Amino acid sequence: MYPYLDLGHNILFPLYNLFIGIGIIFGLIYLDRQCNSLKIKFLTDRNLHVSLIISVILSFLGAKIFELIYQGNTITLIDLYSGGTTFMGGVITAGIVFFLINSLLKTNNLFAFNLVVPSLMIAHIFGRIGCFLGGCCYGNPTNIFCGVKYPETAPASVHLGSSIYSHPTQLYESFFLIVCFIVIEKYSLFENKIFIYLIGYGTFRFFIEFIRADERGQILTDLISPSQITSILFVLFGIFSILIRFYFSKKSAATNNF
Amino acid sequence: MAKERGTSNIPMIMGIIGGVLGLPAAVCSAWCGEAIVAVDNIDSGAVSDGSTGGTILLLGILGAILGIVGGALGKKIPTPAGSMMIAAAILTGWNLASALAYIPLNLFLLGGVFCFVQKKESIEI
């Protein structure tokens, strides 16, 4: 849409990167405020930041590797440089790395995940706006009022045609994440934040994939996209985790009554 | 035991913006570096093996990652974070083949200085 800001002297400022950066900054500021309001100990806070920043950096590598697997490409250095990224791959990699580092540093994993989920959502909201400006992750052609026409050089115009209006799926996702953020922060119990996010985002992503028009890749089946398979896993993991926690809390309550 | 921590978000903002701009700047610098080598080799007819671009790319990416890490930890561990950001500025400065690299270089340098001079508070751990 508007991928570069021309600063003159042949300096083009990539807006996609800028918005990812803004998202990470606001995410970290929000995390800081949460740590202060919950009066988290300094060492836990520091360990949390260390594990989070390592996870974020490795998540970009994971996002690239997952995209290469989704597209059925080989994983070489050149492919890693030239290939795209997928959020689902990034979030899975970050989750695994975050879990491992927290385990090593003896930080309560469930607490840590629940603490960082709102920050992840903030970063994701801005990241999707960056996608919109970069012209990637576009939707199917549409005639509805919110359809957008991309510039002639944008990937959407190259793929769909320059006079075609398409769904701004990036903005739908941003809007959904804002609503999800408000719901999680206002109405959810602290210990369920991560699971509600997984169920909510997984469900949304499953359906939004049907109106995505960019190359979705293929894995296991061609009926649904790889991101939809991951979304189903997210939802199942979230539901099972909440059920297990509910079962154990009832059991311990019943034991305490005797 | 008491520890010191920073109070300013400025190093974090500068480190992360510098880092996310440092990555494309590294790629851009690598291309420019290779182009300069190719122009230099026109007379001799030698073909570049791509090592110049590869080295610039690697140093640039390393600088950007150091800048992001330093920026994100600027409040928690100000002195090591400041050192990381200064190191990131040096690595980025090594790669000034592209004009875009001037932005992360300045951001890392200022962020590193802010890490050291920011107001600090003492906390009990």
Side-chain angles (χ1 to χ4, degrees), chain A residues 46-98:
Chain A
R46 194 189 65 188
N47 291 346
L48 207 67
H49 273 78
V50 170
S51 51
L52 186 64
I53 205 68
I54 296 172
S55 313
V56 168
I57 288 169
L58 290 179
S59 74
F60 285 103
L61 189 66
K64 286 237 169 207
I65 292 173
F66 268 77
E67 181 66 7
L68 288 175
I69 295 169
Y70 285 0
Q71 302 296 342
N73 294 335
T74 52
I75 302 169
T76 62
L77 268 179
I78 294 170
D79 290 328
L80 275 177
Y81 160 64
S82 58
T85 54
T86 173
F87 172 77
M88 300 303 251
V91 86
I92 291 170
T93 315
I96 293 169
V97 175
F98 192 62

Side-chain angles (χ1 to χ4, degrees), chain A residues 156-174:
Chain A
S157 297
V158 174
H159 181 196
L160 303 170
S162 56
S163 58
I164 301 287
Y165 285 80
S166 61
H167 283 287
T169 43
Q170 316 93 329
L171 298 185
Y172 297 164
E173 202 163 326
S174 274

Side-chain angles (χ1 to χ4, degrees), chain B residues 103-115:
Chain B
I103 301 173
L105 165 69
N106 288 313
L107 289 174
F108 289 150
L109 210 56
L110 286 173
V113 173
F114 266 106
C115 267

Side-chain angles (χ1 to χ4, degrees), chain A residues 13-142:
Chain A
F13 203 94
L15 287 179
Y16 172 73
N17 293 48
L18 181 69
F19 269 80
I20 296 244
I22 291 172
I24 295 174
I25 288 168
F26 279 114
L28 283 175
I29 290 174
Y30 192 78
L31 179 66
D32 224 25
R33 286 174 66 94
Q34 271 196 311
C35 288
N36 286 341
S37 67
L38 292 170
K39 294 190 170 53
I40 292 170
K41 282 180 189 166
F42 174 76
L43 282 179
T44 315
D45 184 10
R46 194 189 65 188
N47 291 346
L48 207 67
H49 273 78
V50 170
S51 51
L52 186 64
I53 205 68
I54 296 172
S55 313
V56 168
I57 288 169
L58 290 179
S59 74
F60 285 103
L61 189 66
K64 286 237 169 207
I65 292 173
F66 268 77
E67 181 66 7
L68 288 175
I69 295 169
Y70 285 0
Q71 302 296 342
N73 294 335
T74 52
I75 302 169
T76 62
L77 268 179
I78 294 170
D79 290 328
L80 275 177
Y81 160 64
S82 58
T85 54
T86 173
F87 172 77
M88 300 303 251
V91 86
I92 291 170
T93 315
I96 293 169
V97 175
F98 192 62
F99 177 84
L100 290 176
I101 300 175
N102 281 335
S103 305
L104 268 176
L105 298 174
K106 297 187 174 69
T107 311
N108 182 338
N109 256 310
L110 188 60
F111 176 78
F113 273 101
N114 285 319
L115 197 64
V116 300
V117 155
S119 302
L120 167 74
M121 291 168 77
I122 292 173
H124 197 179
I125 290 166
F126 283 96
R128 284 300 177 200
I129 296 171
C131 284
F132 180 68
L133 292 171
C136 62
C137 310
Y138 48 89
N140 281 331
T142 180

